[in-house]
Amino acid sequence: MINSNMKIISSMSEMKQWRGEGGKIAFVPTMGGVHRGHLALVELAQKKADRVVVSVFVNPAQFGENEDFAEYPRTLDADLALLAGQGVDCVFMPDVREVYPQGVDAGFEVGESGQILCGKTRPHFFNGVAQVVRRLFAIVRPDVAVFGQKDYQQLMVIRQMVEAQALDIEILSADTVRESDGLAISTRNQYLSDEQRQVAPVLYSMLDELRRHILAGGDIINLTKQTRKALEKHFKIDYLSVLDANTLSAITGNTGKIAILCAVFLGSTRLIDNIIFKG
Ligand code: PAF
């Protein structure tokens, strides 16, 4: 269902006008580099609302000084073609001044859940994400917003932000979309060399093996140690943690859902992945 009338807008006032045309609105924020994972978010959004808006904005606030803001894939023509092909109603691609008229707020606070796991290596990251999502929510004023489970910690931080600020927006998540060999689809996969691309799926297969051993009743601490050793043969590990999926804290007798969360470096490319399952 190609939408040849897909609206492309870049200002807050145009968005206000489009928004005012009514109906239930679902929002999918992206930084572009659109791939099948994003299209799955759009598909879920389409089921939940009358109209779907996707934003394309490479958010400077979530990149650290030595990170890939300049290199981040900007593939606007291809993105627009894919989004129109998926039947998206509107693409919002604001200018940085539109999003941050008063500049980026370095002190934007997301609390503890933004400081663990990815937040340890990328201390600026979740403040930047929460800040841009808060701002985009204020401009788009969606009823529903959809995020990928691939970025599980991001999803949790956004849910907490929505709760803390009492925003009337339903946050939905869509399952991680994978290549046929298991690698979680990500815009940054294009940084991998052919050789690294062959190695990358080992990450998911080892996390899945860990999940199977946990379900078989093995000791989580020992199993995690073994998986870390196995991963080290292929990657430089940033973190590997097995936590309560609802709280992102240590597993207790009350844990109903377990999260295996991992970030590794393959060369200079950082890959993240997770598996969430009933414990
Ligand atoms: O997941 C992403 O692509 C980004 O972190 C998001 C949510 C669009 C905010 O810039």
Side-chain angles (χ1 to χ4, degrees):
M1 42 150 175
I2 296 178
N3 183 1
S4 46
N5 291 322
M6 185 173 75
K7 188 108 183 149
I8 300 172
I9 59 186
S10 54
S11 74
M12 216 164 132
S13 55
E14 286 170 298
M15 177 48 78
K16 198 171 171 189
Q17 198 179 348
W18 182 84
R19 179 72 185 81
E21 286 163 21
K24 188 168 175 183
I25 302 292
F27 178 39
V28 179
T30 82
M31 296 205 299
V34 171
H35 50 61
R36 284 194 288 126
H38 295 116
L39 299 182
L41 304 183
V42 170
E43 225 173 278
L44 178 58
Q46 285 167 329
K47 289 189 186 131
K48 300 289 173 183
D50 303 308
R51 295 190 293 156
V52 173
V53 50
V54 174
S55 63
V56 174
F57 177 68
V58 186
N59 172 32
Q62 68 191 74
F63 290 81
E65 268 182 24
N66 300 318
E67 292 184 352
D68 57 341
F69 177 69
E71 295 81 44
Y72 196 83
R74 286 157 174 88
T75 51
L76 193 56
D77 290 344
D79 292 353
L80 293 177
L82 285 167
L83 296 172
Q86 187 64 39
V88 165
D89 299 281
C90 175
V91 175
F92 180 50
M93 14 185 284
D95 187 66
V96 72
R97 281 164 308 215
E98 199 76 19
V99 178
Y100 297 120
Q102 290 164 2
V104 172
D105 179 359
F108 201 88
E109 254 312 317
V110 289
E112 217 180 295
S113 64
Q115 283 152 27
I116 55 173
L117 305 168
C118 287
K120 266 197 184 157
T121 317
R122 308 184 70 197
H124 52 278
F125 179 69
F126 291 110
N127 285 344
V129 168
Q131 187 171 175
V132 79
V133 171
R134 175 78 188 91
R135 180 78 185 136
L136 291 169
F137 280 178
I139 298 172
V140 175
R141 294 189 297 112
D143 300 288
V144 178
V146 186
F147 295 85
Q149 188 193 281
K150 154 101 175 17
D151 300 297
Y152 189 74
Q153 191 181 2
Q154 167 173 283
L155 178 67
M156 300 287 279
V157 165
I158 290 166
R159 282 192 197 283
Q160 277 171 22
M161 189 263 289
V162 165
E163 196 186 328
Q165 308 217 359
L167 303 178
D168 191 13
I169 300 171
E170 187 185 0
I171 303 298
L172 297 177
S173 73
D175 290 347
T176 303
V177 179
R178 299 183 181 279
E179 302 287 4
S180 54
D181 57 13
L183 176 65
I185 294 184
S186 158
T187 303
R188 287 187 169 101
N189 289 352
Q190 19 185 314
Y191 295 156
L192 299 172
S193 67
D194 290 349
E195 207 175 305
Q196 290 170 334
R197 176 63 189 79
Q198 300 294 312
V199 175
V202 171
L203 171 59
Y204 176 65
S205 64
M206 286 187 177
L207 299 187
D208 198 43
E209 197 176 323
L210 174 56
R211 177 190 65 86
R212 278 184 272 119
H213 285 127
I214 292 173
L215 284 175
D219 176 76
I220 293 183
I221 295 178
N222 281 334
L223 289 171
T224 308
K225 269 190 202 154
Q226 283 165 22
T227 305
R228 200 169 278 134
K229 267 198 183 151
L231 281 167
E232 267 164 5
K233 293 188 183 137
H234 306 274
F235 308 100
K236 181 170 169 278
I237 300 178
D238 183 355
Y239 64 79
L240 169 66
S241 292
V242 182
L243 297 172
D244 183 306
N246 291 322
T247 58
L248 291 188
S249 52
I251 288 172
T252 68
N254 292 328
T255 296
K257 217 167 51 155
I258 295 177
I260 299 176
L261 302 141
C262 189
V264 296
F265 287 92
L266 188 50
S268 57
T269 303
R270 189 165 175 276
L271 303 174
I272 63 170
D273 205 346
N274 64 71
I275 302 184
I276 313 296
F277 60 102
K278 283 201 178 127

